[in-house]
Amino acid sequence: MNKTLIRYLENRLVEIARESKRYHLLTQNTYKNTVIKEAQIAVMEEFINNVKILLNTLGYKVLEPLSRLVPEKNHEKLVEIDEINLRLERTIKNLGKRIQADGVRTSEGFVVLKGSHIAEVDDETILVVLKEQRKTADIVDGIMQEDMLFSSPSYAAMFVIGKGANGLTSWKDSAGKTLKEIENNEIK
């Protein structure tokens, strides 16, 4: 590989990592206008696909976007996130504000979806780690600006409402079934 190909790879990998929105990237400048032949681009894109496979095999999802498709119960086909959407609704006492957030389980955890309403204040029952996430998350006027992955539905619920919560009972489907009821039905 020569410098030109390495510059192309660096730029593409940084672009892909930024698009995945899993990590904050410190890299500011890359060689965006690297000129290479079409055949070289094809070879480099194949190389990038191999890097993605290798990183995923090692358990690093840095180049993978948050999944918009999840396996259905029978594991035979993938369904859109919107088909199995869960919602958390809560009215905040003393403020009268209503919180509504949408989320979904994925193979990696629980994703709170872009456009969800987030409580603007939190209390001492929320974990310190979630307090920090709430401070750094992309939230404008109480609305999430991007999908956000959490390790559990409870962490996601606590993030949304700003205090301790049980995610298995907080998240419900359109019929009003709690996540706990849905999971119990899946086991049967």
Side-chain angles (χ1 to χ4, degrees):
M1 270 194 223
N2 59 34
K3 280 185 181 180
T4 305
L5 297 179
I6 291 171
R7 286 177 178 172
Y8 177 84
L9 282 175
E10 177 189 22
N11 181 57
R12 283 289 293 132
L13 291 170
V14 168
E15 278 179 0
I16 294 167
R18 276 195 184 117
E19 288 170 6
S20 73
K21 296 182 180 178
R22 287 182 179 266
Y23 299 96
H24 174 71
L25 297 177
L26 299 176
T27 303
Q28 297 296 319
N29 298 321
T30 59
Y31 298 95
K32 290 182 175 38
N33 298 324
T34 304
V35 179
I36 61 175
K37 296 177 183 173
E38 195 172 320
Q40 290 174 316
I41 290 174
V43 171
M44 291 299 100
E45 290 298 322
E46 184 177 348
F47 183 85
I48 289 169
N49 285 334
N50 291 337
V51 167
K52 285 181 178 181
I53 291 168
L54 180 61
L55 288 174
N56 281 337
T57 302
L58 294 172
Y60 300 108
K61 306 260 183 195
V62 68
L63 300 177
E64 293 298 320
L66 292 176
S67 181
R68 297 302 298 171
L69 296 172
V70 293
E72 199 175 39
K73 182 179 170 185
N74 61 12
H75 304 291
E76 293 177 2
K77 69 176 189 168
L78 296 174
V79 294
E80 289 287 333
I81 277 178
D82 297 334
E83 293 181 41
I84 53 174
N85 204 17
L86 298 167
R87 178 165 273 201
L88 184 152
E89 294 182 353
R90 181 86 41 106
T91 302
I92 300 175
K93 293 178 183 175
N94 303 330
L95 294 177
K97 275 192 150 181
R98 188 160 179 82
I99 300 299
Q100 290 183 333
D102 293 312
V104 67
R105 286 180 309 166
T106 68
S107 59
E108 297 178 69
F110 196 90
V111 177
V112 176
L113 301 175
K114 175 182 177 178
S116 294
H117 296 268
I118 306 298
E120 294 177 15
V121 294
D122 51 39
D123 68 16
E124 62 280 346
T125 63
I126 191 171
L127 300 170
V128 173
V129 124
L130 291 173
K131 277 188 181 214
E132 291 303 316
Q133 274 187 305
R134 288 170 58 88
K135 289 177 187 172
T136 60
D138 190 5
I139 301 171
V140 177
D141 295 327
I143 307 287
M144 282 188 59
Q145 302 300 307
E146 60 189 16
D147 294 348
M148 199 163 174
L149 176 66
F150 295 90
S151 59
S152 73
S154 292
Y155 274 30
M158 285 187 267
F159 178 87
V160 168
I161 62 175
K163 62 182 185 175
N166 180 343
L168 293 176
T169 56
S170 298
W171 294 99
K172 298 178 182 178
D173 68 6
S174 58
K177 281 187 177 179
T178 65
L179 181 55
K180 184 174 185 173
E181 292 170 327
I182 293 167
E183 288 181 353
N184 287 340
N185 287 338
E186 289 175 349
I187 294 172
K188 293 178 184 179

